[in-house]
Amino acid sequence: MTTNQQLLQRREAAVARGVASAHPVFAARAENAELWDVEGKHFIDFTAGIAVTNTGHCNVALNQAVADQMMRFSHTAFQVSPYETYISLCERLNQAAPTQDAKSVLFSTGAEAVENAVKIARHYTGRSGVISFTGGFHGRSLLTMGLTGKILPYKSGFGPFPNDIYHVPFPVEVHGVTVEESLTALNKLFKTDIEATKVAAIILEPVQGEGGFYQAPEALMTALRDICDLHGIVLIFDEIQTGFGRTGKLFASDHFSVKPDLITVAKALAGGFPLSGVVGKREIMDSPGPGGLGGTYGGSPIGCAAAHAVLDEIERLDLCKRSEHIGEIIRQRLTKLKTTCPSLPIGDVRGLGAMSAFELVEADGQTSAPELIGRLVVQAREQGLLLLSCGYWGNTIRLLPPLTIEDTKLMKGLDILESALLAEFVEKEEV
C-alpha cells in the first residue's frame, strides 16, 4: 500500500517547495463532504478545495456534464473555433450578476480574472492607478501579488511589483480599524500619492478570504461607490472566493445596496475544473478591441460544461438557502462553545452564509495567537477533520464545508472541531 509518508518523500524530491500543502494527506477519493486518503483514512472536509467544491466532491450531475462534453470535444480555443456553451454561460452570468446590461469574458484562473479586470479598467479609463486593501488576496501573478495586501508567504522575495498600485487599510473593527479611518487613509492617498483622476480602479473582496473572512461594512461600500462615481473610477468586487452561494447569495455583492462595475469570478464557478471570468457593465467590458482579451484555455469547453452543471445544481438544490443554514449552525455552535467554555482561546466568531471563521486569541481575549492555529489544525486532522487557516495575523480558522454537506456530516465535523479544541487547549492544560 502506498503511504502518505512515501508520497510526501516523492513530493519533496520532485515538486518545487514553493507549492505548499496544508495537510500531509494525499487524496485517493472523495465524495460530497468526505475524503479518503491513500491509506484509507476518512476525513470530513471543511475546506472544499478552498471554497471550490461548493456543490460537493464528485457531484454526479457535474461529472456527467463533463463526460458528455469530453465525448464531443475537449478543446478548440474559443478564439479559433468558438462554441455555444461559452456564449450561454456568459448569458447566464450576465443575467445573474449584480450589474445591469452586463457582458462577460472567460479565463482559466482567479489571477487571470483579476489581471484582466484591471486591464479592462485601465483601457476604459485611460488611467493606470489601482487601489486595493490591506489583507486582500488577489492572486500570485506579479500584478495580483502587487494588489495583494499580505506579505508572507505570497510577496516575500518576489518584487519589485508593478507600479501604480496602492493600499489602504481595510476596516476591521475587532482589530481597531474603523470605516472612517479607512476612508481617511483613502482621501489622504489622493492628496499624497496619486490623484483620484489618475486611478483606474479600486478593487476589494466583499468578504476578505485569505485575509481573515472580514466582511466589508455597508458604509465602506457606499462610500467607495460614491467616490468611484465622483472621480470616474471603476469599482471591482473580487468574488473569486465569495461567489456561487458561499455567502448565502449567488454573489456576495447581493448583500450590499451598491453594485460594482466589474466582478471577478472563479473557484466554485466550475466546481473544480479550471474556469474564471470577469462580468461587468457592457460599456466597460467592450472597451478593449478584438484580440485584447483572451487566452488559449480561457473558457474551456470542459469548464463551461462544468459551470452550467454547477449553476443548475445551485438552483435545483437551493444552495444559497442551504448556505445560510450551514453558516447559522456553525456560528451558533462556536458561539455557544465560546460561552460555555471560556478557557478556550476562541476570539471573534464571524461569517456570512457558509463562509465562517473564528480567531484564536491569548488569555486577554483580544491578542492574536497564531502559534495556536497549527496545533488545532493538526489535532483536528488526527481526529478526522480537515481545516484551513487564514488571516494576515495568522490566527484564524476558516470553515468552508461544501454547501451540499449533509446535516449529519456537518454536525460530526463540528463535534470533531469541539473535541480538538478541548483536547488541545483544555484537557492538556488540566493535566
Side-chain angles (χ1 to χ4, degrees):
M1 179 184 72
T2 301
T3 67
N4 287 315
Q5 184 60 36
Q6 289 171 339
L7 288 175
L8 185 62
Q9 291 173 351
R10 289 171 57 188
R11 170 200 156 86
E12 290 174 350
V15 180
R17 72 188 185 104
V19 183
S21 294
H23 298 282
V25 170
F26 289 80
R29 66 185 181 94
E31 182 178 349
N32 200 14
E34 298 173 273
L35 182 146
W36 290 262
D37 72 7
V38 293
E39 298 175 4
K41 296 175 184 176
H42 170 261
F43 301 89
I44 293 177
D45 183 9
F46 273 18
T47 75
I50 318 180
V52 168
T53 57
N54 285 3
T55 48
H57 294 291
C58 287
N59 180 284
V60 174
L62 190 156
N63 286 355
Q64 186 61 57
V66 167
D68 291 346
Q69 179 58 53
M70 288 180 67
M71 294 302 294
R72 292 189 291 271
F73 61 92
S74 61
H75 176 74
T76 65
F78 190 75
Q79 298 96 311
V80 177
S81 182
Y83 32 91
E84 188 271 340
T85 51
Y86 185 117
I87 299 168
S88 58
L89 179 57
C90 288
E91 290 171 340
R92 293 183 77 171
L93 291 173
N94 297 341
Q95 182 65 33
T99 302
Q100 292 184 343
D101 195 26
K103 275 193 157 185
S104 298
V105 60
L106 302 177
F107 303 101
S108 300
T109 68
E112 273 188 283
V114 173
E115 290 251 356
N116 280 276
V118 172
K119 281 175 58 177
I120 293 166
R122 282 177 166 172
H123 195 280
Y124 175 73
T125 61
R127 308 170 183 179
S128 59
V130 185
I131 297 170
S132 59
F133 286 82
T134 57
F137 179 81
H138 300 289
R140 287 182 172 88
S141 66
L142 277 176
L143 175 61
T144 57
M145 274 195 296
L147 294 171
T148 292
K150 181 181 178 182
I151 298 296
L152 291 173
Y154 307 112
K155 302 173 73 168
S156 181
F158 292 115
F161 302 108
N163 294 327
D164 268 0
I165 294 175
Y166 307 87
H167 292 89
V168 294
F170 190 80
V172 181
E173 296 214 14
V174 69
H175 291 301
V177 183
T178 66
V179 172
E180 291 73 19
E181 288 171 326
S182 292
L183 295 175
T184 297
L186 178 59
N187 287 319
K188 182 180 179 181
L189 189 73
F190 291 151
K191 300 293 185 183
T192 62
D193 291 277
I194 183 171
E195 297 174 65
T197 54
K198 300 295 185 182
V199 176
I202 295 176
I203 183 170
L204 77 162
E205 300 160 280
V207 182
Q208 288 196 332
E210 189 66 25
F213 282 31
Y214 300 111
Q215 181 180 340
E218 173 72 24
L220 176 71
M221 295 302 214
T222 301
L224 290 179
R225 181 71 274 172
D226 291 342
I227 289 167
C228 288
D229 290 343
L230 177 64
H231 298 293
I233 299 169
V234 175
L235 181 59
I236 304 171
F237 285 1
D238 183 340
E239 291 253 25
I240 289 167
Q241 190 163 164
T242 57
F244 304 102
R246 177 52 60 182
T247 68
K249 295 185 181 295
L250 192 64
F251 298 109
S253 306
D254 294 326
H255 289 282
F256 300 95
S257 62
V258 301
K259 304 306 175 189
D261 299 309
L262 303 177
I263 64 171
T264 58
V265 296
K267 287 192 181 290
L269 169 59
F273 292 87
L275 188 68
S276 67
V278 182
V279 189
K281 292 180 178 178
R282 177 182 299 266
E283 178 185 7
I284 300 173
M285 293 293 294
D286 274 346
S287 179
L293 304 174
T296 301
Y297 299 108
S300 79
I302 304 300
C304 288
H308 277 293
V310 165
L311 292 172
D312 289 344
E313 288 291 88
I314 290 173
E315 293 176 6
R316 183 179 73 85
L317 300 173
D318 198 2
L319 291 185
C320 291
K321 183 176 181 180
R322 177 69 182 163
S323 176
E324 292 179 345
H325 172 74
I326 291 169
E328 288 174 2
I329 290 176
I330 290 173
R331 292 188 291 278
Q332 287 175 5
R333 180 73 172 268
L334 286 167
T335 301
K336 180 179 179 181
L337 185 60
K338 178 181 177 180
T339 302
T340 57
C341 193
S343 61
L344 285 173
I346 299 175
D348 188 50
V349 176
R350 56 182 173 270
L352 194 62
M355 191 172 181
S356 300
F358 65 96
E359 297 191 8
L360 295 185
V361 295
E362 300 290 355
D364 61 9
Q366 295 294 327
T367 305
S368 299
E371 69 280 358
L372 302 181
I373 287 291
R375 291 166 51 187
L376 177 59
V377 170
V378 171
Q379 179 66 234
R381 182 175 69 236
E382 290 177 350
Q383 295 193 35
L385 176 66
L386 298 180
L387 298 175
L388 285 175
S389 62
C390 67
Y392 53 87
W393 296 111
N395 72 317
T396 300
I397 291 289
R398 49 179 157 176
L399 304 173
L400 292 166
L403 306 183
T404 49
I405 189 171
E406 304 95 333
D407 277 355
T408 54
K409 295 295 189 299
L410 176 63
M411 298 309 294
K412 183 176 180 181
L414 292 173
D415 287 344
I416 295 173
L417 177 59
E418 179 175 339
S419 175
L421 282 162
L422 292 172
E424 194 62 39
F425 303 122
V426 176
E427 294 174 9
K428 288 184 178 181
E429 292 175 4
E430 293 177 350
V431 173

